[in-house]
Amino acid sequence: MTEALLPAHAQVAAELDALEAALEPSDLHGSLCGYLAGGGKHDRKGWFAAVMSDPLVSPPAPDSALDQLYEASTRQLESPDFAFELLLPGEDRPVGERADGLLAWCRGFLGGFGLAAGAEPPLSEEAEEALADLARIAASDLSYDDPDADEDALEEVAEFVRVAVMLLHSDCVLGPRHRRKLN
């Protein structure tokens, strides 16, 4: 399997602007990953309409940044070597902008996850805690006082989010798939 790289944040932003979609790239990626982690249908042509909750939205063009976003995200979530990444503003951007991107990513994730998993997904106690933590992160109001400490904190929180997403995906997608194979 080839390495699944996410398109650049700026590429996704440019496509969303061209489509006049009022959505940030991090929010969209969070929504997509939440939808997939919650057991949403893998549908290369229909995912964008599903996460936008608008059946009239056209599918992304093949090989576009949005198409690449879907392809890389599905591969990363299914990767046995935990290669999953979050689409956030680049490290060249100020820490505040990247942190806001992480909060938007978490808000998107929660929406997409709820859309696919429903009100009572089959979660382990650990995954329930992770989901509650993601909700707390999404609702955070951040202040930026110490750039070095803020940078470290952002990295730690992003890593927590990454692991939480893989745990939720495991509970809602990989676990049920494994149980179906055993039966």
Side-chain angles (χ1 to χ4, degrees):
M1 179 194 284
T2 60
E3 189 175 353
L5 298 175
L6 293 173
H9 189 273
Q11 288 177 293
V12 176
E15 276 193 30
L16 289 172
D17 285 347
L19 294 171
E20 297 180 355
L23 198 60
E24 292 296 317
S26 298
D27 190 1
L28 175 64
H29 188 239
S31 296
L32 169 60
C33 292
Y35 180 75
L36 294 171
K41 181 179 175 190
H42 282 256
D43 179 4
R44 191 171 187 162
K45 292 186 185 226
W47 75 267
F48 192 53
V51 300
M52 297 293 287
S53 295
D54 184 351
L56 301 178
V57 170
S58 298
D63 297 322
S64 66
L66 294 178
D67 187 52
Q68 292 169 22
L69 183 70
Y70 172 80
E71 193 61 31
S73 299
T74 56
R75 284 188 180 178
Q76 286 182 2
L77 281 168
E78 298 286 329
S79 171
D81 37 326
F82 306 106
F84 177 69
E85 298 175 46
L86 309 176
L87 182 67
L88 302 174
E91 291 190 17
D92 61 325
R93 307 303 307 155
V95 69
E97 184 178 327
R98 289 182 287 133
D100 290 345
L102 180 61
L103 298 182
W105 197 99
C106 290
R107 286 190 297 271
F109 180 87
L110 293 169
F113 188 82
L115 183 67
E120 294 188 28
L123 299 178
S124 64
E125 187 176 322
E126 194 175 40
E128 283 180 11
E129 288 175 20
L131 188 61
D133 288 341
L134 288 174
R136 278 191 285 283
I137 292 167
S140 296
D141 186 20
L142 304 176
S143 63
Y144 309 103
D145 303 321
D146 180 354
D148 291 333
D150 294 342
E151 195 74 45
D152 292 341
L154 178 60
E155 284 181 36
E156 286 179 29
V157 173
E159 180 61 16
F160 172 82
V161 169
R162 195 180 76 76
V163 171
V165 169
M166 290 186 296
L167 174 63
L168 289 160
H169 181 258
S170 178
D171 272 21
C172 292
V173 177
L174 300 179
R177 185 184 304 156
H178 181 70
R179 285 190 290 280
R180 280 193 302 275
K181 284 183 182 177
L182 292 176
N183 293 331

